[in-house]
Amino acid sequence: MTPSARLPVSATLLRRLAFASIVANVAIVGTGGLVRLTASGLGCPTWPRCTDDSYTTTAEMGMHGVIEFGNRLLTFAVGAIALAVVVAVLSHRPRRPELVPLAVGVLLGIPAQAVIGGITVLTDLNPWVVGLHFLASMVVIAVAYALWRRIKDPAGPVVPVVPVVPAPLRTLARLTAVVSASVLVVGTWVTGSGPHAGDHGAARNGLDPQTISQLHADGVFLLIGLSVALVFAFRAVGAAHAARAAGILVAVELGQGLIGVVQYLTDLPALLVGAHMVGSCLVLLATLSMLWSTRERRPVQPGRDDDRRPAMASASRSAAPSA
């Protein structure tokens, strides 16, 4: 008997581990922000070693070295959680092979992130590479979220996805998700043009901070407008769960927007910039939650080809104009 058969992992434990992976990946974004905002980006001036002669920080490197090395150590903790998730997925009974690619994707994303982080150090904190480092974290968080949600779905790799809102609203939801992603990308450009370079000698991307900040703000206004439209549209077709998810997205966007405005008006204090970075993760998660709420997976009974029809018919009737 294999160890996984002797020690099967419950669905509850599997969900908790997957959720812990999301939290850990958001946390490392926050600590990465701490590295940059304290000008500790080159606290360890090389990679993978901390110095040419040591893998660890030295007393001569001071607090900047401690902060940078501490962030590197946290990568191992995040990786350990991701590895635990993979083991849990393989140990879960009944086994769910559809979860394996997502769990492995999160696990492989951790060392990939470490390599990108190393490149940022080796390129003296090139702002474009730093931005890529942040966006790669967003990808890992998105995959971790997909795993967590998929665990809650019925088991089976071929369980059909059933839309719960009409096709035009699903298209609007996807458009909102695209705009949300573009806001994150442009946000890295804003950061790369601003004062928090991660080190006093690091270069900036050369973009005009006011111009790129305005572009970022325009994207945020568009995102909020689309999200508010989704709230009313989902309510109009009776999709209460989707409307609630869209409402949470609006609330998160407004909170993130408020932080952004205040930090801009107060000359970008480090504490607010750090909060804005973590807020970006919350916007991503709220966007994914909204997108996920537009569909659901329902187990199909053998010999029943019409299991998908009631939901589709209900969505069509909800979308039809009343007489």
Side-chain angles (χ1 to χ4, degrees), residues 198-218:
D199 183 79
H200 298 300
R204 302 285 69 205
N205 59 23
L207 299 175
D208 178 65
Q210 284 192 323
T211 301
I212 199 64
S213 294
Q214 184 60 57
L215 178 63
H216 183 58
D218 292 341

Side-chain angles (χ1 to χ4, degrees), residues 1 4 24 28 30 65 68 72 74 80 84 90 104 122 159 175 204 225 230 240-241 250 255 270 281-282 293 306 321:
M1 182 180 294
S4 62
I28 203 168
E68 164 64 8
R72 294 187 183 188
L74 186 59
L90 295 176
V104 172
L122 297 176
V159 177
L175 175 61
R204 302 285 69 205
L230 282 174
H241 178 64
V250 171
C281 300
L282 300 182
S293 72
D306 58 342

Side-chain angles (χ1 to χ4, degrees), residues 47 71 104 135 139 143-144 167 174 177 208 212 217 238-239 241 256 285 299:
W47 186 89
N71 188 62
V104 172
L135 295 175
V139 172
V143 177
R174 295 188 190 103
D208 178 65
I212 199 64
H241 178 64
Q256 176 74 335
L285 292 171

